[in-house]
Structures are given as structure tokens and as C-alpha cells.
Amino acid sequence: MRKKIVAGNWKMNLKCEEATRLFLSLANAKNSAVEVIIFPSTLYLQSFLDNTNKNIQIGAQNAYPIDTGAYTGETSFYQLKSIGITHVLIGHSERRAYFSESNEFLKEKVDAALENNITPVFCCGESLSIREQGKEKEFITNQIKESLFHLSSDTFQKCIIAYEPIWAIGTGKTATSEQAEDIHKTIRSFIAEKYGDTLAQEISILYGGSCNENNAKELFSCPNIDGGLIGGASLKTASFKAIIDSF
Ligand code: PGA
């Protein structure tokens, strides 16, 4: 059985006191069928780790692929590992767009994460113009190929994938469950072609993009959707808890 996961990507939101309050309010967010991961600002990672409970795992939104050195302002996978971080988002569309992160650079991040025993949550997804040209499948499978397909089966199976259509992120415009399932199925078949069906069936593929308490149940009931990467709706206790309980 694949892992079911609900992850909260808090992005660059909340000041310390608000973030702490939200985190503590999730303490009893528990559904034994689901793994819950929170990705807060890097600034709050240590204090969340100190206050965490076994219901919630803490991940970082970003990291730099070199262990140590003169890279002012960066935090490495190696450093994150040293405080006990288990997951890192890699390839979020906001990092690709605003920080020019290429598939090639993301490949380095994936390698650095795995070398440090950190699970990459690898994000992929197309823009509206790519979807309008009907090229979304080609685009997404290429993102996966260029950043992940150099991995051996043993390392690839440690990754989690998140499909996040850019046109649905923060827009309130969710992909329909048919659209999302279609892409998730394509991703799984693409993985099966490279690594075999057994491994492809073990990889968790999450949906992200305006997923909320009203649409999560329908999305998560699709056979190839194993949970969600939630932005806006993860910033409200009631919404995020309801999404966790959608399974
Ligand atoms: P959203 O963000 O749920 O606010 O659309 C999802 C994400 O960017 O991970």
C-alpha cells in the first residue's frame, strides 16, 4: 500500500507567533491512515522540531545542494539533516519561476537530499499556456526525466512526487479530479516504463493547486492521487484538519 500524505506548504507566510500558534493547533490533527508533513519557513524549523509530536513531520521548503562553504544566505541539505529534517520540497514552481531553478539544478538538489537521507518531495507541473497547447504531459514527464531519471531504483523509490499545475496554484482554480487523475496516471506509467510497475505502484504522487476542504475528498478518492500538497488551505487549522480527514 502506498503512503497517503497530506503536506502543508506554508511558503513565506506567518510571523513567528502566528506560525507557532498554528503549529500547536495542529497537535491533535491525526488520522492514522495519513502521514502529515508541515513545510514552514526555514526560520521556524528548529523550534517546530523541538515541539513536534509523532503525528507531524517537519520539512524544509528549500535547500542548497552543496554541504558547506561560502554561499551566503543559503542553508544546505547537510545542515538540515544535522537538525533532523526528513523532507525537503524540490522544484516548486515558485522556485523555478522566481529563482530560475532549472531541471539540471534540481537534479543536483535531488542528489544532495538523498545523500543526506532526506526525502525529496519533487514538484512538477505545467503553466496554462503549455496546457492550452496540449503539451502538459510531455512537459511534466520531461521535468521528471531530467531531474530524477538518473537515479537508481533504490534511490528513486525514496522520492515523493507532487503534481502542481501552475494555473491552479493560489488561484482558487483547482484541476478537476479527472484532469488531476489523468496526469497522475501518466506520471505513474512513465515511472513504470523506466523503473518497472512494482516500483511505480509504490511511489506516492500528491496533488497540489487550490486543494481545499471542499475538493480534497473527491481528488483523494482517485486511484492515482495519494494525497495533497496544500498551500493556502494549510494556513487555517480547520481547513487543514478537514483535508487530513478527507481520507
Ligand atoms: P495552493 O498552493 O494550495 O495555495 O494553491 C499549493 C502549493 O503551491 O504548494
Side-chain angles (χ1 to χ4, degrees):
M1 264 284 278
R2 288 195 287 276
K3 259 190 217 162
K4 304 294 181 194
I5 300 166
V6 173
N9 174 11
W10 289 5
K11 310 192 180 186
M12 199 177 68
N13 289 303
L14 309 175
K15 50 183 189 177
C16 186
E17 149 195 346
E18 296 162 339
T20 306
R21 203 178 317 125
L22 176 60
F23 181 68
L24 295 175
S25 76
L26 295 170
N28 62 355
K30 194 177 169 202
N31 173 343
S32 53
V34 184
E35 195 171 297
V36 179
I37 315 169
I38 300 287
F39 293 90
S41 157
T42 309
L43 198 56
Y44 310 140
L45 291 174
Q46 182 68 67
S47 90
F48 282 19
L49 283 167
D50 291 343
N51 289 295
T52 196
N53 57 65
K54 51 184 182 329
N55 300 332
I56 301 181
Q57 305 199 59
I58 315 294
Q61 293 174 18
N62 182 37
Y64 198 68
I66 291 175
D67 285 353
T68 58
Y71 297 91
T72 302
E74 293 295 329
T75 302
S76 69
F77 290 91
Y78 173 81
Q79 291 174 311
L80 291 174
K81 183 195 175 189
S82 76
I83 65 165
I85 290 297
T86 52
H87 295 76
V88 175
L89 294 179
I90 295 180
H92 191 281
S93 61
E94 287 149 19
R95 299 237 32 113
R96 292 178 189 260
Y98 307 144
F99 302 95
S100 307
E101 296 193 358
S102 64
N103 290 344
E104 188 60 32
F105 183 53
L106 298 174
K107 177 180 172 187
E108 289 177 41
K109 290 194 178 198
V110 166
D111 287 341
L114 292 164
E115 277 158 24
N116 285 290
N117 249 325
I118 290 175
T119 302
V121 179
F122 181 81
C123 307
C124 56
E126 81 287 1
S127 63
L128 188 57
S129 80
I130 289 172
R131 181 161 278 264
E132 283 170 350
Q133 292 166 54
K135 293 193 173 147
E136 64 276 11
K137 290 183 182 168
E138 191 185 315
F139 183 82
I140 294 157
T141 51
N142 190 56
Q143 287 180 321
I144 293 174
K145 184 170 114 203
E146 292 194 355
S147 301
L148 296 177
F149 273 14
H150 63 290
L151 297 172
S152 67
S153 303
D154 283 356
T155 45
F156 186 86
Q157 69 182 1
K158 295 178 181 156
C159 299
I160 295 168
I161 293 180
Y163 166 57
E164 300 203 304
I166 298 169
W167 47 271
I169 296 179
T171 57
K173 196 177 166 201
T174 326
T176 63
S177 52
E178 290 78 19
Q179 285 172 321
E181 169 62 15
D182 182 36
I183 298 292
H184 283 232
K185 198 170 165 205
T186 301
I187 293 173
R188 204 176 299 289
S189 311
F190 188 62
I191 295 170
E193 276 171 37
K194 165 85 178 164
Y195 292 104
D197 197 47
T198 310
L199 191 149
Q201 290 302 331
E202 285 168 8
I203 300 284
S204 297
I205 308 177
L206 315 182
Y207 170 78
S210 298
C211 182
N212 59 41
E213 65 275 34
N214 300 318
N215 55 33
K217 209 175 196 124
E218 186 180 333
L219 286 160
F220 297 173
S221 66
C222 297
N224 286 289
I225 301 183
D226 305 306
L229 179 55
I230 321 296
S234 71
L235 297 171
K236 289 172 247 143
T237 309
S239 310
F240 194 57
K241 279 189 177 170
I243 294 170
I244 294 169
D245 286 335
S246 299
F247 275 105

